[in-house]
Amino acid sequence: MSEPTLTAVLPDERGYFGEFGGSFVPEILVPALEELNEAFLTAKQDPAFQACYHGLLRDYVGRPTALTYAERLTERLGGGRIYLKREDLCHTGAHKINNAIGQILLARRMGKTRIIAETGAGQHGVATATVCARFGMECIVYMGAEDIERQQLNVHRMRLLGADVRPATSGSQTLKDATNEAIRDWVTNVRDTFYIIGSVVGPHPYPAMVRDFHTIIGEEVKTQLHEKEGRTDPDMLIACVGGGSNAIGMFHPFLRNTSVRCVGVEASGEGLDGRHAATLTLGKPGILHGALSYLLQDEEGQVSLAHSISAGLDYPGVGPEHAWLKQSGRVDYVSATDQEAMEGVQLLSETEGIIPALETAHAVAGLARLAGETDPDDLIVLNCSGRGDKDMQTIAEALS
Amino acid sequence: MSRLKAHLESIAAAGEKALGMFITSGFPDLDATPDLLRAIDAGGADFIELGMPFSDPLAEGIPIQRSSERALAAGVTMRQTLEYAADFTASSDTPLLLMGYGNPVMRYGIDRFFEEARTAGVQGVILPDVLPAPDSPFFRAAAAHGVDTVCLVSPTTPQERVTYIDELSSGFVYAVSVTGVTGADKGDAKPIQDYLRRIRPAVSRNALLVGFGIRSAEDVASMVAETDGAIVGSALVNLVAACWDDSDLSHAQRLERVEAFVRELKSGTSS
């Protein structure tokens, strides 16, 4: 197998990014994935679909989201000029809705009547429940029983929006297990059901499709940065990585320009020698939820339990494109602990008046460490992927 | 021709139908597996699938999920499973297959796994999340070491893909009875029989066996009408869990119940 170059169109026709990705699913799902891939490729080329998608992003989501110059954070960290891509200002409070809008339009186009989703922090669940309410479609969201406990606010939001939130009670009762349950539901109800996956994970074509529905983030950065600074490409991009959707959405339009340093920040939980969710940092290649990627696992190939204070990063897998970007060296992956993330929440709140989600706080923590390596005339863009309202109880407990 | 295939053909040539039984390795505890394999064999199973437990078995219903969790909690390893297989095949000619998921095999080392499986006398391997492809490292390693790779078809599989799967499958072709997970309620037999009748002409190179949701001798009898045999897993796992959780039963009594259940199921193949 020849190594793909950065200018290659990835994934290949079988869904591989280098050696990562592919489709590892029960045979029952094969025709559904082929049908989805065809529908997605056709929709991408269809001006009517694009007009509908971009119209909803503008009038319903509130795009373009602001690119905010973080003046006091820049002063505090003493390096390059920091901009925040304000995905926290999206309707529902995080970037997740970009993808939910795209996928529900595909579901309608394909004549599917029933929507299922998995959720960790509840942001993707809320985004999916929201678009289902908007289009009057049945919505079932699988959520780990433990996550239902720690993300009560989002559970209430989903139920108010009309979704049926079903607890996943197997295994670790978090995102991994909610995803297993969603796949089992899909296997059972594949004929009328559309599975809206919430990150750049899962079997082909999901990693590419979810990415493409989020690249609007990076594309807007180009336009907005040009307006404010006279150049489209910054020196550094930084984003948190759980499955990796907000990061890939921002990085992707910049990957061919290798002078743009891209940094993904994983959750190292209690620390890399304790319980963590730093899949790219410490995982090994493996198969989970339909794709070959990096995976936290033991010597027997049993999937390890991830840990992060942030439910949205508490996942033992990662999108296969990130695995490829790590292996090729194009993106740097670092990590931040629960404690550092909590400091990141306080830092952004105090300097900019923006309370970030705990996921986003990991990117803030990563930047706090790396900003010193940059020059004052460097441009840095941090993906402020979500707002922190949903995490207030966790934050209050951690800071008390 | 592989031994598994020859075995299934000889059953068909005699006008009989085959019964395959699935049991999770290391379940309900590490001591149980060798005795369970012998009891299943004594009950008349034509082949046995030994399940390799995985933490995230996404094609499994509750019974096999729970059995996998229990086996992993008991500390079963891939090496242990291969030892169970070697012990069993040393004393029985009944074909033994391993069934599980791609990741534990990949972590063990794909080539090493198939080499050691062959050495342990394993006839075939079933990996429901590894799709058939000629250049798949799993399929290449299996072929290199002479281990059959049994592929699955489902009610959603188009006819031309059934033909393709038949070409890449060895040992037999495993027809999933319904869209669902293992142990699912399979509902009426009629639509399943219609689907099996549809795909049967496309499976010309291999025997066609059906599984998922088959619980009784009556189920077996209705499912083998259009196939070469049936496979039962979750129902046996449920029985084993119930027997081992019943402290009034002795070890011998538990094994007797398992053997009797298999014998009862086997009666459904010759009606």
Side-chain angles (χ1 to χ4, degrees):
Chain A
M1 193 186 301
S2 64
E3 280 291 298
T5 63
L6 281 169
T7 53
V9 177
L10 292 178
D12 66 20
E13 71 282 359
R14 293 194 306 163
Y16 279 88
F17 303 87
E19 68 185 81
F20 301 106
S23 192
F24 294 83
V25 293
E27 184 63 38
I28 294 171
L29 297 179
V30 170
L33 289 166
E34 284 175 2
E35 184 194 8
L36 174 62
N37 192 38
E38 275 167 34
F40 170 58
L41 293 176
T42 312
K44 251 169 85 164
Q45 307 299 327
D46 179 355
F49 179 89
Q50 290 297 331
C52 190
Y53 169 64
H54 286 282
L56 283 162
L57 289 185
R58 183 186 64 229
D59 300 332
Y60 190 68
V61 176
R63 302 204 74 93
T65 58
L67 185 70
T68 303
Y69 176 53
E71 185 177 0
R72 296 190 64 231
L73 181 65
T74 297
E75 280 172 20
R76 178 77 72 91
L77 295 181
R81 294 164 61 79
I82 300 165
Y83 282 88
L84 307 172
K85 181 55 177 165
R86 300 293 305 283
E87 294 300 296
D88 59 313
L89 297 178
C90 287
H91 177 44
T92 72
H95 72 289
K96 294 287 186 190
I97 191 131
N98 302 327
N99 168 54
I101 293 261
Q103 288 200 49
I104 202 158
L105 290 178
L106 268 184
R108 284 163 56 83
R109 204 178 156 96
M110 293 168 70
K112 304 290 181 184
T113 55
R114 183 174 174 273
I115 300 293
I116 59 170
E118 84 297 334
T119 198
Q123 287 305 111
H124 173 60
V126 167
T128 303
T130 297
V131 297
C132 286
R134 168 64 182 78
F135 288 102
M137 290 173 82
E138 183 186 0
C139 180
I140 294 120
V141 179
Y142 290 93
M143 188 169 187
E146 187 183 311
D147 289 338
I148 286 179
E149 280 305 306
R150 59 180 171 174
Q151 302 286 339
Q152 272 293 320
L153 178 65
N154 275 341
V155 175
H156 292 311
R157 291 168 82 195
M158 285 185 272
R159 289 189 171 141
L160 183 62
L161 291 161
D164 176 4
V165 181
R166 297 188 184 166
T169 54
S170 62
S172 61
Q173 308 189 358
T174 62
L175 178 55
K176 157 178 104 73
D177 310 283
T179 307
N180 288 337
E181 286 307 315
I183 293 172
R184 289 177 187 127
D185 180 313
W186 200 28
V187 162
T188 306
N189 303 293
V190 63
R191 289 189 174 94
D192 67 351
T193 297
F194 190 103
Y195 179 17
I196 299 188
I197 293 185
S199 192
V200 285
V201 301
H204 180 61
Y206 280 100
M209 181 174 71
V210 176
R211 174 196 71 197
D212 287 358
F213 286 137
H214 281 305
T215 52
I216 184 80
I217 301 171
E219 284 158 8
E220 286 178 6
V221 167
K222 276 185 185 269
T223 306
Q224 292 168 320
L225 206 59
H226 187 260
E227 284 168 8
K228 291 174 193 298
E229 296 282 351
R231 59 176 161 121
T232 57
D233 290 11
D235 299 283
M236 184 193 283
L237 294 168
I238 189 161
C240 65
V241 176
S245 65
N246 90 80
I248 213 89
M250 188 166 74
F251 296 168
H252 199 261
F254 297 95
L255 289 175
R256 290 184 188 195
N257 178 358
T258 53
S259 68
V260 180
R261 184 181 179 193
C262 297
V263 181
V265 186
E266 296 194 292
S268 50
E270 298 168 344
L272 290 175
D273 51 358
R275 298 186 305 150
H276 62 82
T279 308
L280 289 163
T281 308
L282 289 180
K284 294 202 162 58
I287 299 162
L288 181 68
H289 298 148
L292 201 168
S293 185
Y294 276 74
L295 182 61
L296 295 179
Q297 56 182 319
D298 67 14
E299 289 302 308
E300 285 287 316
Q302 308 299 340
V303 180
S304 306
L305 300 190
H307 165 79
S308 169
I309 194 167
S310 148
L313 303 183
D314 195 348
Y315 183 64
V318 67
E321 190 163 11
H322 284 291
W324 151 243
L325 290 169
K326 175 191 164 71
Q327 196 184 53
S328 67
R330 177 62 187 90
V331 175
D332 294 335
Y333 294 92
V334 300
S335 64
T337 64
D338 290 348
Q339 175 64 34
E340 289 168 325
M342 206 53 68
E343 289 161 13
V345 168
Q346 292 171 283
L347 178 62
L348 198 64
S349 301
E350 290 165 10
T351 56
E352 297 297 333
I354 295 168
I355 301 174
L358 281 172
E359 293 78 20
T360 309
H362 287 74
V364 177
L367 179 58
R369 230 183 303 141
L370 294 172
E373 299 173 11
T374 59
D375 294 328
D377 55 353
D378 280 354
L379 297 179
I380 301 166
V381 181
L382 180 142
N383 195 350
C384 190
S385 54
R387 69 178 187 225
D389 306 47
K390 70 182 173 64
D391 296 313
M392 281 318 300
Q393 195 176 342
T394 309
I395 293 168
E397 282 167 15
L399 297 180
S400 66
Chain B
M1 183 188 297
S2 76
R3 247 188 65 207
L4 175 59
K5 188 172 186 186
H7 180 66
L8 292 172
E9 283 190 3
S10 72
I11 292 169
E16 297 281 320
K17 306 289 185 174
L19 175 70
M21 295 298 302
F22 171 96
I23 190 72
T24 307
S25 174
F27 164 78
D29 55 55
L30 296 183
D31 294 333
T33 301
D35 291 343
L36 277 170
L37 291 173
R38 276 189 288 273
I40 294 164
D41 194 15
D46 296 298
F47 65 92
I48 303 175
E49 299 171 3
L50 184 59
M52 303 176 280
F54 180 46
S55 54
D56 295 79
L58 48 76
E60 311 300 344
I62 297 288
I64 297 178
Q65 284 178 46
R66 296 276 185 264
S67 73
S68 304
E69 286 173 13
R70 202 160 159 175
L72 291 172
V76 75
T77 61
M78 186 66 88
R79 179 172 293 278
Q80 178 75 67
T81 296
L82 289 165
E83 280 172 22
Y84 291 141
D87 288 349
F88 177 76
T89 59
S91 61
S92 173
D93 288 333
T94 302
L96 188 83
L97 293 82
L98 295 177
M99 185 165 183
Y101 290 80
N103 196 56
V105 171
M106 190 176 152
R107 193 80 195 98
Y108 196 75
I110 295 172
D111 194 70
R112 175 186 170 207
F113 168 79
F114 282 102
E115 182 182 5
E116 293 183 16
R118 174 78 267 186
T119 306
V122 170
Q123 297 289 310
V125 168
I126 311 172
L127 301 171
D129 66 341
V130 176
L131 295 172
D135 59 351
S136 157
F138 293 90
F139 280 71
R140 282 184 169 182
H145 294 291
V147 176
D148 284 346
T149 43
V150 174
C151 301
L152 294 89
V153 298
S154 89
T156 60
T157 311
Q159 200 75 349
E160 63 275 22
R161 187 164 166 86
V162 176
T163 305
Y164 172 78
I165 290 168
D166 182 42
E167 281 168 13
L168 290 182
S169 196
S170 48
F172 61 91
V173 168
Y174 190 141
V176 175
S177 63
V178 290
T179 57
V181 292
T182 53
D185 182 353
K186 66 178 175 46
D188 294 342
K190 176 73 170 62
I192 303 172
Q193 288 169 340
D194 290 348
Y195 138 69
L196 294 171
R197 205 173 294 123
R198 162 177 76 85
I199 64 170
R200 183 135 205 202
V203 182
S204 58
R205 299 161 57 107
N206 291 289
L208 178 67
L209 280 83
V210 59
F212 281 39
I214 300 172
R215 297 167 189 181
S216 65
E218 294 71 39
D219 286 348
V220 171
S222 80
M223 288 294 106
V224 298
E226 303 295 337
T227 60
D228 300 304
I231 301 162
V232 178
S234 299
L236 175 62
V237 165
N238 279 336
L239 174 74
V240 169
C243 287
W244 260 254
D245 290 341
D246 183 347
S247 54
D248 291 341
L249 292 178
S250 69
H251 187 64
Q253 285 172 319
R254 289 167 176 161
L255 293 171
E256 278 165 23
R257 292 206 180 178
V258 168
E259 184 179 330
F261 180 59
V262 176
R263 184 166 292 117
E264 163 72 16
L265 291 172
K266 180 60 191 167
S267 73
T269 64
S270 54
S271 53

